[in-house]
Amino acid sequence: ARPAAGGDQAYVEAAIEEHRAAIARAEASLRESSDPALRQLAQSTIETRRAEIAALQAWKPTAATDE
């Protein structure tokens, strides 16, 4: 079995990848959509996911996950 930190790191990496994909889809929506509500949702998605990526990238294992 992998240590907890390895599983945590795998989660962080997968979440970042998924957030980047969501940003790409939202950016495409901004380019292609003229619907104001959809554009607002896409912009909100971009801002939220970028903040979440920054938080995930700043994550460091705690002593509890290192054991």
Side-chain angles (χ1 to χ4, degrees), residues 7-66:
D8 291 345
Q9 186 63 40
Y11 164 76
V12 167
E13 291 171 7
I16 289 171
E17 184 177 324
E18 290 171 11
H19 286 357
R20 286 180 176 152
I23 289 169
R25 289 189 301 271
E27 288 172 339
S29 185
L30 284 177
R31 285 191 304 273
E32 298 167 8
S33 179
S34 60
D35 183 275
L38 186 58
R39 292 179 59 79
Q40 183 178 13
L41 182 58
Q43 187 60 47
S44 176
T45 297
I46 292 167
E47 292 166 8
T48 300
R49 296 295 189 256
R50 284 183 178 159
E52 290 172 351
I53 287 171
L56 288 161
Q57 289 173 329
W59 171 83
K60 299 287 187 256
T62 62
T65 59
D66 284 339

